[in-house]
Amino acid sequence: MKVYMETLGCPKNFNDTQVAKGILQESGIDITDSIEQSDVIILNTCGFINDAKKESIERIFELAEYKVYGKSLIVSGCLSQRYSSDLVLEMPEVDCFLGVNEYKKLPEILENLDQVSKNQVMECPDDILEKLPRVLENNPYTATLKIAEGCDNRCAYCVIPDIRGHFRSKRREDVIDEAKWLASRGCKELILIAQDVTLYGKDIYGKLALPELLKELCNINGIRWIRLMYCYEDRITDELIEVMASEEKICHYIDIPIQHSSDSVLKAMRRRSTEKSIRETITKLKSAIPDIHIRTTLITGFPGETEEDFECLLDFVDEIKFDRLGVFAYSQEENTPAGEMENQIKQDIKDQRVDAIMRRQLDISLEGNKQKIGEILEVLVEEQDETGSYIGRTKYDAPEIDNSVIFDSQRELKPGMIVKVKILDAFDYDLTGMEV
């Protein structure tokens, strides 16, 4: 039997797929990159916001067309977990729906696919935090490292706690073992992920244990960069900042999704941060780590967001000058407090506000990039384009979402190499240069 797996959504989903492939491979099932050669197709879906749900549903129907060739179709992930009973009725084309992190059941399900119930969704298991096999993609030099699952924050707009369950940390020794395994396979960049990376350890060690974990990860041979994603502002402690500043391997980069800057909107969102606390944390980070690059994510058009609230956010973006920024129009989700709120904002207004912020950020990004002209930066090589130039990233950029460096070299380079590049020119979201 050959299985083809496809993934939609966030890096956490891609991490889950790698684990699923590892479980299948360990049980003797072949993994193929060719959908035509497969016997079973598995789609790992996203169901976080409306656009993601639409993309997942459209892809399910596209993949269902392969059933005429005798292939089976399994749908897993967040969409399945969230809408299992509805999907079973509305999508008879799908042979089985599997919930979030139910991948340990896959070998048995595949063996008995004709007899299994279409709906295999269960409670989010805790055993997904145990040591599990994993299959890396074609770029093992960069790998995510999931250190926790679930979320306890209960933001008013978010369904993640209902989909992925309560927050639970992976044991430190298991995290370290996985990181060492990744390093042994050529990984140079570890990207720490969770729904809330900064809460790591609170549930099992009784304290915020991310700083201690980072120190141990920094001792692993072969790892060059360690990157922090999904950090909650109110849990960025002085201890964490000190470790980031003192440990050479930790990238001077941090992802802090603040969502908004208006206190009234933050309160309505059920966020613990305030404009004052966000400012104070950013000031501490920049003071301790002068070259820190801060990525944030914003939501505009949240129910009740006034024009004054929006102008406050726009001015905040202008003043802080985030190095990396993404913004989403609020998505009204069922079974969330925000979804039931009055004063829902029209889609065209939400879209206009998104555009206004991104236009402002375009200028900020270009300004920041121009300041790098003449600098020599370390760049992780990712690929070579059709012209012979190389494309890579600095330690200030996460894969897929941030800036790239396009550069030339007088020697042949391979993906995963980290080289020094002199920056010669700058654009809105990219840099160009030459290896030195």
Side-chain angles (χ1 to χ4, degrees), residues 23 281 351:
I23 291 169
T281 297
D351 292 341

Side-chain angles (χ1 to χ4, degrees), residues 122-136:
M122 308 291 179
E123 293 297 321
C124 298
D126 286 341
D127 59 7
I128 51 93
L129 297 169
E130 298 172 357
K131 292 181 182 178
L132 292 171
R134 184 174 171 185
V135 172
L136 299 180

Side-chain angles (χ1 to χ4, degrees), residues 301-338:
F302 189 80
E305 181 191 56
T306 64
E307 191 63 36
E308 183 181 358
D309 291 326
F310 174 67
E311 289 297 331
C312 167
L313 179 59
L314 201 55
D315 290 343
F316 192 79
V317 169
D318 241 351
E319 178 187 347
I320 300 299
K321 298 189 186 307
F322 292 99
D323 303 278
R324 312 286 183 255
L325 183 146
V327 58
F328 296 92
Y330 164 73
S331 176
Q332 185 177 7
E333 298 295 321
E334 65 268 32
N335 301 319
T336 63

Side-chain angles (χ1 to χ4, degrees), residues 102-342:
E102 294 292 339
Y103 299 113
K104 290 177 74 174
K105 295 184 173 68
L106 265 178
E108 180 182 353
I109 288 172
L110 292 176
E111 188 176 340
N112 304 284
L113 196 55
D114 292 337
Q115 292 82 37
V116 298
S117 166
K118 274 182 170 289
N119 187 348
Q120 291 287 325
V121 179
M122 308 291 179
E123 293 297 321
C124 298
D126 286 341
D127 59 7
I128 51 93
L129 297 169
E130 298 172 357
K131 292 181 182 178
L132 292 171
R134 184 174 171 185
V135 172
L136 299 180
E137 308 302 333
N138 296 326
N139 55 336
Y141 49 84
T142 293
T144 55
L145 181 60
K146 183 189 281 190
I147 64 173
E149 179 59 285
C151 187
D152 292 339
N153 290 311
R154 294 285 174 182
C155 299
Y157 50 82
C158 186
V159 295
I160 290 298
D162 294 328
I163 294 174
R164 290 190 172 265
H166 66 92
F167 183 89
R168 52 235 193 260
S169 302
K170 188 182 291 187
R171 293 188 308 166
R172 185 184 297 121
E173 52 267 37
D174 290 341
V175 175
I176 298 300
D177 284 348
E178 185 173 356
K180 288 179 178 178
W181 178 83
L182 290 168
S184 72
R185 278 150 182 80
C187 178
K188 295 182 180 180
E189 178 187 32
L190 285 179
I191 304 173
L192 270 58
I193 60 171
Q195 296 302 139
D196 180 357
V197 165
T198 40
L199 188 57
Y200 175 77
K202 182 67 174 178
D203 54 324
I204 54 178
Y205 303 120
K207 62 178 181 178
L208 301 178
L210 181 60
E212 296 175 14
L213 177 66
L214 286 171
K215 289 179 182 178
E216 291 192 52
L217 291 172
C218 287
N219 290 327
I220 298 175
N221 292 331
I223 300 299
R224 293 277 300 274
W225 294 352
I226 299 174
R227 188 178 305 281
L228 298 181
M229 304 294 290
Y230 315 113
C231 299
Y232 272 65
E233 175 275 321
D234 59 299
R235 296 192 179 107
I236 299 174
T237 62
D238 292 345
E239 182 184 10
L240 176 58
I241 293 173
E242 192 279 326
V243 171
M244 290 184 66
S246 61
E247 293 287 353
E248 184 178 345
K249 290 185 179 181
I250 301 177
C251 295
H252 290 178
Y253 173 105
I254 188 168
D255 172 47
I256 315 172
I258 65 169
Q259 312 301 5
H260 216 282
S261 63
S262 165
D263 284 344
S264 62
V265 176
L266 288 167
K267 184 177 180 180
M269 288 179 168
R270 298 186 180 178
R271 304 282 292 185
R272 292 181 300 273
S273 295
T274 64
E275 181 183 357
K276 180 182 179 183
S277 70
I278 294 169
R279 287 181 181 276
E280 289 175 348
T281 297
I282 291 173
T283 297
K284 285 182 180 180
L285 282 164
K286 290 184 175 181
S287 176
I289 313 168
D291 66 331
I292 188 77
H293 280 52
I294 300 174
R295 158 166 277 280
T296 197
T297 307
L298 306 174
I299 296 174
T300 192
F302 189 80
E305 181 191 56
T306 64
E307 191 63 36
E308 183 181 358
D309 291 326
F310 174 67
E311 289 297 331
C312 167
L313 179 59
L314 201 55
D315 290 343
F316 192 79
V317 169
D318 241 351
E319 178 187 347
I320 300 299
K321 298 189 186 307
F322 292 99
D323 303 278
R324 312 286 183 255
L325 183 146
V327 58
F328 296 92
Y330 164 73
S331 176
Q332 185 177 7
E333 298 295 321
E334 65 268 32
N335 301 319
T336 63
E340 303 299 322
M341 289 179 180
E342 297 179 355

Side-chain angles (χ1 to χ4, degrees), residues 225 377-382 390-395 404-407 416-423:
W225 294 352
L377 302 175
E378 283 192 328
V379 173
L380 189 152
V381 181
E382 294 187 303
Y390 293 94
I391 302 173
R393 290 180 290 110
T394 71
K395 62 184 178 181
S404 295
V405 180
I406 303 162
F407 66 98
M417 294 177 66
I418 296 178
V419 300
K420 292 184 177 180
V421 174
K422 184 172 183 179
I423 304 304

